[in-house]
Amino acid sequence: MADGSLERVKFLTFDIFGTVLNLTGSLAGPAGEFLAARGSEMTGDAFYADWRARQRIEQYQDNLLMLGHSGYLETCRRAFVYCLKLHNVSYTADEVAEFMQVYHGLQPYPDAIDGLRSLAERYSLVALSNGEQWYLESLLANNVPVTFDAVISVEQVGAFKPSPGIYRKALQRLECEPGEVMMVAAHAFDILGAQTCGFRSAYVDRYRLPTEESAYQPDMIVGDFVELADRLLR
């Protein structure tokens, strides 16, 4: 391992949506078809950028208001409807419900599969995700040809990441110390949340975005999972 300070790491916890699974590649195309069928000239890529940003707001509101945990798929649906309204696209509730089935077809990044297979030779792989437990288990079983040693959903604490409860729940479930876990994510807020709970961290800079303006910075920054595996296994 390149960095001797990471030798204690036994578990790698992975963000799933946007880190392992390619959300833009899986959702922008179907969104564009939905828009075109309703006379909108907006591209699926442009719409998805707004949709993804709005979904993050929906999750933060869910945490802050503390009115009960809505669930990942519901925040995705609400964000989709919000953006349809924002861009004056007509829809019915039934059409939205039918469209949301696209979330069962999310596909992984090829580098994620290659990297995970290599990393499984040394580390325990753990999915640590905002998705519902049943949904995560279904997606990983059907769409990701890699076996995870554990699947931990934020449902277990009733709050979305980066709420500290989910990282602490992972430590409880894995029966380990914070320094024995490395969070792997393509979202800087997820890295920050994990680090404040004592995790080590690897930022997968898929989207060429800066890290958070914070004293907490990733232990390593990599371009993809292949580079991550190369650095951790060398």
Side-chain angles (χ1 to χ4, degrees):
M1 185 181 293
D3 185 345
S5 70
L6 300 179
E7 289 181 353
R8 292 185 62 217
V9 173
K10 300 176 183 178
F11 302 92
L12 300 180
T13 55
F14 295 90
D15 171 67
I16 299 301
F17 301 107
T19 299
V20 173
L21 295 174
N22 183 354
L23 295 182
T24 303
S26 301
L27 297 172
E33 294 172 4
F34 187 95
L35 297 172
R38 286 152 187 81
S40 173
E41 296 182 358
M42 189 174 194
T43 67
D45 285 335
F47 182 87
Y48 182 72
D50 286 346
W51 179 13
R52 179 64 168 157
R54 180 63 197 183
Q55 192 222 338
R56 193 74 43 77
I57 292 173
E58 294 286 346
Q59 291 179 344
Y60 288 153
Q61 289 182 161
D62 201 89
N63 280 3
L64 290 169
L65 295 175
M66 295 188 291
L67 295 175
H69 183 63
S70 300
Y72 178 80
L73 290 172
E74 173 59 14
T75 62
C76 292
R77 185 200 67 81
R78 290 202 303 247
F80 183 65
V81 169
Y82 178 95
C83 290
L84 291 176
K85 293 177 179 178
L86 176 66
H87 296 292
N88 298 310
V89 179
S90 61
Y91 67 91
T92 67
D94 287 343
E95 289 170 343
V96 169
E98 181 178 357
F99 175 81
M100 289 298 294
Q101 296 304 307
V102 73
Y103 272 89
H104 295 281
L106 300 180
Q107 296 300 309
Y109 286 102
D111 68 271
I113 301 306
D114 292 340
L116 286 167
R117 285 173 173 161
S118 297
L119 291 164
E121 297 176 8
R122 178 178 296 177
Y123 300 97
S124 293
L125 308 183
V126 179
L128 185 62
S129 174
N130 277 334
E132 294 87 340
Q133 189 73 33
W134 70 267
Y135 176 50
L136 288 172
E137 292 175 358
S138 174
L139 269 182
L140 296 175
N142 295 318
N143 299 9
V144 180
V146 176
T147 299
F148 284 83
D149 297 285
V151 178
I152 303 174
S153 165
V154 298
E155 275 190 328
Q156 296 184 33
V157 297
F160 291 109
K161 294 185 289 183
S163 175
I166 185 57
Y167 307 104
R168 293 169 182 162
K169 173 60 71 173
L171 298 176
Q172 183 185 64
R173 282 279 309 275
L174 299 174
E175 298 182 339
C176 65
E177 298 177 4
E180 295 177 309
V181 186
M182 170 176 274
M183 185 72 210
V184 180
H187 311 300
F189 74 87
D190 202 347
I191 293 295
L192 176 61
Q195 286 186 290
T196 61
C197 293
F199 286 34
R200 308 310 296 265
S201 64
Y203 179 42
V204 182
D205 191 14
R206 290 198 182 283
Y207 309 111
R208 301 300 180 261
L209 296 173
T211 58
E212 300 291 346
E213 185 63 24
S214 167
Y216 293 97
Q217 292 298 313
D219 290 293
M220 63 174 64
I221 299 176
V222 297
D224 58 26
F225 275 59
V226 174
E227 182 182 355
L228 175 68
D230 179 64
R231 290 184 60 179
L232 287 177
L233 298 176
R234 68 172 58 161

